[in-house]
Amino acid sequence: MLDSTSITNTLMSKWDYDQLIFERIIALLNSYLSRHSKCLVVRFDLRFPVCYMQVISNELISQFMQKIIQKYKRQGLDPSYIWVREQDTSVNPHYHCALLLNGHKVRDFHHVFCNAQSLWGSTLGVDAFGLVHNCISREYVHGFKNGIMIETYREDALLNYEAVIHQLSYLAKMRDKRDHGDPWRNLGMSQLH
């Protein structure tokens, strides 16, 4: 198994993270890699339209995740997911998401954004153009990559594993996580096997 200690210590010394979310990210990644020696990790963000009714639960993100997981299960890609809910001053939350797919059966990752847009739109009942962010623009985070493939049997496996943890650490940042007595949670993910 690949060791996350070095990258975890480096990131934790620089930024303020929710420890539980950070641990769950690593647990999900390790669980997936124990089943598949080749794993594609894709990150994206979901937002609501500006004038969308106020959202007071995680029902819509749960419906969306069921749809996207079902789509990729039908394709035999054994998907796993994680999402976090954040909200600062906007009326509605936004979600940071990651999808893990069997890298032995898929190479490209851009289809994830197209599918996410279509399925988020159908979940909300709106045209979702502009509501799904692919997290790959240069302005996003310097040096950030998306669609990283981890192949545990290759020499660069640890570098890619650490790159994925760095990529997904954004989901664990403390800023914008709400804990105002809300009845809903800030984290959802696939069950660990």
Side-chain angles (χ1 to χ4, degrees):
M1 186 55 58
L2 298 169
D3 185 4
S4 63
T5 306
S6 177
I7 187 67
T8 300
N9 290 341
T10 300
L11 291 169
M12 293 291 233
S13 70
K14 293 180 180 179
W15 307 102
D16 189 18
Y17 291 108
D18 180 306
Q19 187 72 31
L20 173 66
I21 294 174
F22 206 104
E23 290 170 2
R24 300 302 285 173
I25 288 167
I26 293 171
L28 179 67
L29 183 58
N30 289 343
S31 173
Y32 200 85
L33 289 170
S34 72
R35 295 191 325 269
H36 301 287
S37 61
K38 194 172 178 182
C39 168
L40 177 67
V41 181
V42 184
R43 212 176 79 54
F44 56 92
D45 297 341
L46 300 174
R47 297 198 175 274
F48 289 92
V50 174
C51 296
Y52 199 78
M53 65 183 166
Q54 186 172 10
V55 175
I56 58 170
S57 74
N58 289 322
E59 183 179 337
L60 293 170
I61 187 67
S62 295
Q63 289 173 9
F64 166 80
M65 280 300 173
Q66 287 175 352
K67 290 178 182 182
I68 203 162
I69 292 302
Q70 183 178 49
K71 179 170 191 64
Y72 285 112
K73 275 186 179 176
R74 286 182 183 150
Q75 295 176 13
L77 299 179
D78 191 26
S80 285
Y81 71 90
I82 187 166
W83 59 259
V84 297
R85 177 184 172 273
E86 293 185 356
Q87 186 172 358
D88 186 18
T89 58
S90 61
V91 173
N92 284 318
H94 61 274
Y95 299 95
H96 300 292
C97 309
L99 194 62
L100 287 69
L101 301 171
N102 182 347
H104 293 285
K105 296 186 176 187
V106 66
R107 291 177 191 252
D108 182 59
F109 62 95
H110 291 91
H111 55 87
V112 172
F113 308 132
C114 295
N115 289 325
Q117 182 174 309
S118 172
L119 296 171
W120 187 233
S122 74
T123 300
L124 300 181
V126 301
D127 178 359
F129 181 78
L131 301 179
V132 177
H133 188 268
N134 62 18
C135 305
I136 55 177
S137 66
R138 292 177 196 248
E139 299 83 38
Y140 192 66
V141 174
H142 180 68
F144 182 85
K145 294 190 329 181
N146 203 347
I148 300 171
M149 184 76 76
I150 302 171
E151 299 172 79
T152 58
Y153 46 85
R154 290 181 45 131
E155 287 184 24
D156 64 355
L158 183 60
L159 289 175
N160 288 336
Y161 176 75
E162 289 181 345
V164 165
I165 292 173
H166 186 248
Q167 175 196 60
L168 298 184
S169 69
Y170 190 80
L171 279 67
K173 70 179 174 62
M174 287 295 289
R175 196 185 72 211
D176 299 335
K177 302 285 190 295
R178 289 181 50 149
D179 187 15
H180 303 279
D182 295 307
W184 52 88
R185 57 196 158 84
N186 288 327
L187 168 70
M189 64 183 283
S190 298
Q191 290 186 341
L192 301 177
H193 296 281

